[in-house]
Amino acid sequence: MTARAPLPETERFARLRLARTDRIGPVTFKQLLDRFGSAERAIEALPDLLRRGGGDGHDLPPAAEIEAEIEAGARLGARLIVLDDADYPEMLAAVDPPPPMLWALGDTSLMSRPCIAVVGARIASAGGQRIARGLSQQLGEAGHVVVSGLARGIDGAAHAGALATGTVAVLGGGVDDVYPPDNAELYAQIVEQGCVVSESRIGARAQAKDFPRRNRIISGLSRGVIVVEAEIRSGSLITARLAAEQGRDVFAIPGSPLDPRSRGPNELLRQGAILCEGVDDVERAFSTLRTLREPPADNPFEGAPEDIDAAFLERVAALLSPTPTPRDELARALSAPIGLVAAALLELSLAGRATLLPGGLVSL
């Protein structure tokens, strides 16, 4: 892998500022970088993009707010890692689209080692916790870094089992948000011996909307995800689904049909997950040569003009519906170059008139 040139501090600041802008999620962030080549140039262009797209405001946070976040991170001893930094985890960079930035406490090099996630029920059985702890210890001894979400139950047991060999905790709130509070001692041990990571602002308290993003990072850092115990409707199964979408291996530990916490893993097995009864099953799966689905290398904005005609924007907007539609399908319907359509969709999304989705899809 070719070493990346360090990003200028002004560009790193601009990337954090862009990532904290309302209506700019990971898809829009990546497309703005693709179109303008840097966050600094994208920020300069934002007012015109919003005006042309029909937006009614400028949602860019003031520079002082970003400076305060960086200062809070420095006081905490946290490290800011932005997309394209040399130490941005390679596995996470292969996700479509990758998180724009991370705050990290502890040993950030762990995220660049071979990682595997171990997740499961918060209200876990004693047996399930014993399996998670023992399996994580064996995975660590075999050279894997164990990734989980620092929740009660299976997550906490997985971290505890892998403390001595390396573990990464991904949080929904800021890296200083110790949740649940009864995991405070485990959190302190992970900061000391492992790594705590979050996409959220320093000081942010976890909310329900933060956990899908947290789960996406857990699976994105990992070569595979092991589900120990989980009910059918659970965050652990969301993590497993995200892992499958990202081209990662999904493992499930089977359990008794009498225990509702076994329904999740057993359902994953019915859907084709890999049966996991121990570390040998993981090593066997990883010995199979596989290629992760990486985002396309081409820039969709190739040949896009600086300015887009307002009438063309309205023609694109008229074709959108709540059903996700591929960008190239819109280009065919309009008999227009893909770069022009991609640029129009970006402007409409910034104005709140379209929603950009992974894989080149768009909806209302």
Side-chain angles (χ1 to χ4, degrees):
M1 178 183 168
T2 308
R4 301 186 188 116
L7 289 171
E9 283 304 314
T10 52
E11 174 63 14
R12 297 180 78 248
F13 184 93
R15 290 192 182 203
L16 178 57
R17 193 178 183 195
L18 198 61
R20 295 293 184 236
T21 302
D22 289 345
R23 293 205 296 262
I24 295 183
V27 178
T28 305
F29 179 92
K30 183 66 168 65
Q31 291 199 16
L32 283 167
L33 289 190
D34 286 343
R35 183 171 181 191
F36 295 101
S38 73
E40 290 179 279
R41 287 192 60 212
I43 285 172
E44 288 173 9
L46 265 182
D48 284 343
L49 294 177
L50 284 164
R51 177 181 50 78
R52 288 205 303 264
D56 55 2
H58 195 308
D59 300 310
L60 196 70
E65 188 178 305
I66 303 306
E67 287 165 1
E69 181 175 352
I70 291 172
E71 287 165 9
R75 284 194 301 272
L76 191 64
R79 184 169 182 173
L80 174 66
I81 303 172
V82 302
L83 184 62
D84 294 326
D85 269 344
D87 53 354
Y88 190 96
E90 189 175 0
M91 288 289 287
L92 199 56
V95 172
D96 179 21
M101 49 70 60
L102 300 168
W103 280 107
L105 272 173
D107 184 359
T108 59
S109 70
L110 289 172
M111 293 186 286
S112 296
R113 285 174 46 193
C115 292
I116 184 162
V118 178
V119 298
R122 285 174 170 79
I123 305 173
S125 69
Q129 292 181 61
R130 187 180 70 249
I131 289 169
R133 191 180 300 108
L135 178 59
S136 295
Q137 181 180 339
Q138 292 169 9
L139 288 165
E141 290 167 353
H144 302 281
V145 171
V146 172
V147 181
S148 199
L150 198 67
R152 292 183 179 92
I154 297 301
D155 288 21
H159 288 306
L163 261 178
T165 51
T167 187
V168 175
V170 186
L171 307 188
V175 288
D176 55 343
D177 180 30
V178 185
Y179 183 83
D182 45 333
N183 272 349
E185 185 180 345
L186 179 59
Y187 166 91
Q189 291 174 314
I190 297 172
V191 170
E192 181 66 30
Q193 299 174 246
C195 187
V196 174
V197 184
S198 175
E199 220 181 339
S200 297
R201 290 176 176 83
I202 302 291
R205 295 293 169 255
Q207 300 177 41
K209 65 180 176 59
D210 297 318
F211 289 105
R213 292 190 304 136
R214 187 273 309 256
N215 295 343
R216 189 167 164 273
I217 295 172
I218 290 173
S219 58
L221 285 169
S222 307
R223 170 77 189 270
V225 171
I226 302 173
V227 179
V228 181
E229 287 183 337
E231 297 204 24
I232 289 292
R233 303 179 74 83
S234 67
S236 300
L237 261 61
I238 292 172
T239 306
R241 176 179 58 77
L242 291 167
E245 290 173 359
Q246 292 164 352
R248 314 298 158 95
D249 286 316
V250 176
F251 301 86
I253 293 178
S256 167
L258 300 177
D259 188 340
R261 290 168 292 205
S262 297
R263 288 179 187 157
N266 291 349
E267 178 60 27
L268 288 174
L269 290 168
R270 275 191 286 272
Q271 294 172 7
I274 301 165
L275 176 70
C276 181
E277 294 179 314
V279 70
D280 289 346
D281 293 315
V282 175
E283 297 290 9
R284 193 178 304 112
F286 285 176
S287 67
T288 305
L289 186 62
R290 298 183 69 229
T291 303
L292 293 175
R293 288 181 238 140
E294 296 192 5
D298 58 314
N299 188 330
F301 299 98
E302 202 71 47
E306 283 291 320
D307 296 317
I308 299 175
D309 181 67
F312 183 76
L313 279 173
E314 296 308 317
R315 287 177 62 204
V316 175
L319 291 177
L320 300 179
S321 78
T323 303
T325 306
R327 185 171 50 209
D328 54 359
E329 191 173 303
L330 295 172
R332 276 195 296 272
L334 292 159
S335 300
I338 191 74
L340 176 60
V341 173
L345 290 170
L346 179 58
E347 295 190 15
L348 290 169
S349 76
L350 289 167
R353 300 176 64 195
T355 301
L356 300 179
L357 303 168
L361 297 173
V362 63
S363 69
L364 281 177

